[in-house]
Short mmCIF file of all heavy atoms in Angstrom, two decimals:
data_model
loop_
_atom_site.label_atom_id
_atom_site.label_comp_id
_atom_site.label_asym_id
_atom_site.label_seq_id
_atom_site.Cartn_x
_atom_site.Cartn_y
_atom_site.Cartn_z
N GLU A 1206 -73.81 -60.59 -97.25
CA GLU A 1206 -75.17 -61.08 -97.38
C GLU A 1206 -76.09 -59.95 -97.89
O GLU A 1206 -75.79 -58.78 -97.64
CB GLU A 1206 -75.69 -61.54 -96.01
CG GLU A 1206 -74.97 -62.79 -95.54
CD GLU A 1206 -75.74 -63.45 -94.37
OE1 GLU A 1206 -76.94 -63.25 -94.25
OE2 GLU A 1206 -75.04 -64.16 -93.62
N ILE A 1208 -78.92 -57.17 -98.16
CA ILE A 1208 -79.53 -56.32 -97.06
C ILE A 1208 -80.97 -56.10 -97.41
O ILE A 1208 -81.36 -56.12 -98.60
CB ILE A 1208 -78.79 -55.00 -96.90
CG1 ILE A 1208 -78.78 -54.20 -98.17
CG2 ILE A 1208 -77.40 -55.25 -96.44
CD1 ILE A 1208 -78.29 -52.81 -98.02
N THR A 1210 -83.61 -53.78 -98.22
CA THR A 1210 -83.75 -52.39 -98.70
C THR A 1210 -85.15 -51.81 -98.55
O THR A 1210 -85.36 -50.70 -98.92
CB THR A 1210 -83.28 -52.26 -100.18
OG1 THR A 1210 -84.12 -53.12 -100.97
CG2 THR A 1210 -81.84 -52.70 -100.31
N ASN A 1212 -86.65 -50.73 -96.01
CA ASN A 1212 -86.69 -49.64 -95.02
C ASN A 1212 -85.59 -48.56 -95.41
O ASN A 1212 -85.35 -47.66 -94.61
CB ASN A 1212 -86.45 -50.10 -93.64
CG ASN A 1212 -86.81 -49.07 -92.61
OD1 ASN A 1212 -87.66 -48.25 -92.86
ND2 ASN A 1212 -86.17 -49.13 -91.43
N GLN A 1218 -81.72 -45.13 -102.20
CA GLN A 1218 -81.80 -46.29 -103.07
C GLN A 1218 -81.40 -45.95 -104.51
O GLN A 1218 -80.60 -46.68 -105.12
CB GLN A 1218 -83.21 -46.86 -103.07
CG GLN A 1218 -83.59 -47.70 -101.89
CD GLN A 1218 -84.99 -48.29 -101.96
OE1 GLN A 1218 -85.52 -48.46 -103.04
NE2 GLN A 1218 -85.56 -48.62 -100.83
N GLU A 1223 -78.73 -47.35 -108.79
CA GLU A 1223 -78.77 -47.04 -110.20
C GLU A 1223 -77.41 -46.74 -110.71
O GLU A 1223 -76.59 -46.13 -110.01
CB GLU A 1223 -79.72 -45.80 -110.44
CG GLU A 1223 -81.15 -46.14 -110.17
CD GLU A 1223 -82.08 -44.92 -110.35
OE1 GLU A 1223 -81.58 -43.87 -110.73
OE2 GLU A 1223 -83.27 -45.07 -110.11
N GLU A 1225 -76.09 -44.60 -112.68
CA GLU A 1225 -75.69 -43.22 -112.72
C GLU A 1225 -75.72 -42.56 -111.29
O GLU A 1225 -75.40 -41.35 -111.17
CB GLU A 1225 -76.49 -42.42 -113.70
CG GLU A 1225 -77.93 -42.33 -113.37
CD GLU A 1225 -78.76 -43.49 -113.85
OE1 GLU A 1225 -78.29 -44.34 -114.60
OE2 GLU A 1225 -79.95 -43.60 -113.48
N HIS A 1229 -73.11 -45.22 -106.39
CA HIS A 1229 -73.02 -46.59 -106.96
C HIS A 1229 -71.60 -47.13 -107.01
O HIS A 1229 -71.45 -48.29 -106.67
CB HIS A 1229 -73.60 -46.54 -108.45
CG HIS A 1229 -73.74 -47.92 -109.00
ND1 HIS A 1229 -74.62 -48.84 -108.61
CD2 HIS A 1229 -73.01 -48.49 -110.04
CE1 HIS A 1229 -74.49 -49.95 -109.28
NE2 HIS A 1229 -73.45 -49.77 -110.15
N PRO A 1230 -70.56 -46.39 -107.34
CA PRO A 1230 -69.20 -46.92 -107.19
C PRO A 1230 -68.85 -47.37 -105.82
O PRO A 1230 -68.17 -48.40 -105.59
CB PRO A 1230 -68.28 -45.80 -107.68
CG PRO A 1230 -69.19 -44.88 -108.47
CD PRO A 1230 -70.55 -45.04 -107.87
N THR A 1233 -70.59 -50.74 -105.15
CA THR A 1233 -69.90 -51.92 -105.77
C THR A 1233 -68.65 -52.23 -105.08
O THR A 1233 -68.23 -53.42 -104.92
CB THR A 1233 -69.61 -51.66 -107.27
OG1 THR A 1233 -68.87 -50.48 -107.40
CG2 THR A 1233 -70.88 -51.57 -108.07
N LEU A 1236 -69.62 -54.31 -102.01
CA LEU A 1236 -69.92 -55.66 -102.41
C LEU A 1236 -68.66 -56.50 -102.68
O LEU A 1236 -68.65 -57.70 -102.43
CB LEU A 1236 -70.85 -55.67 -103.63
CG LEU A 1236 -72.24 -55.10 -103.42
CD1 LEU A 1236 -72.97 -55.09 -104.78
CD2 LEU A 1236 -72.99 -55.86 -102.39
N ALA A 1240 -64.35 -57.49 -96.06
CA ALA A 1240 -64.22 -56.94 -94.72
C ALA A 1240 -65.30 -55.92 -94.45
O ALA A 1240 -65.46 -55.53 -93.29
CB ALA A 1240 -62.83 -56.32 -94.59
N ALA A 1243 -72.73 -53.88 -94.54
CA ALA A 1243 -73.68 -52.78 -94.57
C ALA A 1243 -74.99 -53.14 -93.90
O ALA A 1243 -75.49 -54.29 -94.03
CB ALA A 1243 -73.95 -52.30 -95.99
N HIS A 1251 -75.58 -47.86 -92.90
CA HIS A 1251 -74.40 -47.79 -92.04
C HIS A 1251 -73.36 -48.86 -92.62
O HIS A 1251 -73.72 -50.04 -92.75
CB HIS A 1251 -74.76 -48.17 -90.62
CG HIS A 1251 -75.68 -47.15 -89.99
ND1 HIS A 1251 -75.34 -46.40 -88.90
CD2 HIS A 1251 -76.93 -46.73 -90.37
CE1 HIS A 1251 -76.30 -45.59 -88.59
NE2 HIS A 1251 -77.28 -45.77 -89.46
N ILE A 1252 -72.14 -48.40 -92.87
CA ILE A 1252 -71.11 -49.30 -93.41
C ILE A 1252 -70.05 -49.49 -92.37
O ILE A 1252 -69.61 -48.57 -91.72
CB ILE A 1252 -70.53 -48.66 -94.73
CG1 ILE A 1252 -71.64 -48.48 -95.74
CG2 ILE A 1252 -69.39 -49.52 -95.20
CD1 ILE A 1252 -71.22 -47.74 -96.98
N ASP A 1255 -64.76 -54.60 -90.54
CA ASP A 1255 -64.39 -55.51 -89.38
C ASP A 1255 -65.12 -55.13 -88.11
O ASP A 1255 -64.50 -55.09 -87.02
CB ASP A 1255 -62.88 -55.39 -89.17
CG ASP A 1255 -62.11 -55.87 -90.36
OD1 ASP A 1255 -62.53 -56.78 -91.05
OD2 ASP A 1255 -61.02 -55.25 -90.69
N LYS A 1258 -67.79 -49.08 -87.21
CA LYS A 1258 -68.56 -48.18 -88.13
C LYS A 1258 -67.58 -47.25 -88.76
O LYS A 1258 -66.70 -46.66 -88.17
CB LYS A 1258 -69.58 -47.39 -87.38
CG LYS A 1258 -70.51 -46.68 -88.36
CD LYS A 1258 -71.53 -45.84 -87.62
CE LYS A 1258 -72.55 -46.70 -86.87
NZ LYS A 1258 -73.62 -45.92 -86.28
N LEU A 1260 -68.82 -45.38 -91.99
CA LEU A 1260 -69.57 -44.38 -92.83
C LEU A 1260 -71.04 -44.57 -92.66
O LEU A 1260 -71.54 -45.66 -92.49
CB LEU A 1260 -69.13 -44.59 -94.29
CG LEU A 1260 -69.63 -43.69 -95.36
CD1 LEU A 1260 -69.12 -42.28 -95.19
CD2 LEU A 1260 -69.16 -44.23 -96.71
N ALA A 1263 -77.03 -41.17 -95.97
CA ALA A 1263 -78.43 -40.83 -95.88
C ALA A 1263 -78.87 -40.36 -97.28
O ALA A 1263 -78.05 -40.05 -98.13
CB ALA A 1263 -78.64 -39.68 -94.86
N GLY A 1264 -80.18 -40.29 -97.49
CA GLY A 1264 -80.69 -39.92 -98.82
C GLY A 1264 -80.42 -38.53 -99.26
O GLY A 1264 -79.85 -38.28 -100.27
N ALA A 1266 -79.19 -35.96 -96.90
CA ALA A 1266 -78.14 -35.38 -96.09
C ALA A 1266 -76.76 -35.79 -96.57
O ALA A 1266 -76.61 -36.80 -97.34
CB ALA A 1266 -78.30 -35.76 -94.64
N ALA A 1278 -62.83 -42.91 -100.23
CA ALA A 1278 -62.32 -42.33 -101.46
C ALA A 1278 -63.36 -42.38 -102.57
O ALA A 1278 -63.28 -41.67 -103.54
CB ALA A 1278 -61.07 -43.16 -101.94
N VAL A 1283 -67.04 -32.67 -103.08
CA VAL A 1283 -67.98 -31.53 -103.00
C VAL A 1283 -67.18 -30.24 -103.21
O VAL A 1283 -66.13 -30.07 -102.86
CB VAL A 1283 -68.73 -31.49 -101.65
CG1 VAL A 1283 -69.68 -30.32 -101.65
CG2 VAL A 1283 -69.44 -32.78 -101.42
#
Side-chain angles (χ1 to χ4, degrees):
E1206 290 194 26
I1208 61 170
T1210 59
N1212 196 26
Q1218 285 183 21
E1223 292 180 2
E1225 62 277 351
H1229 187 71
T1233 56
L1236 293 176
H1251 295 242
I1252 299 174
D1255 299 324
K1258 191 183 293 187
L1260 184 63
V1283 181

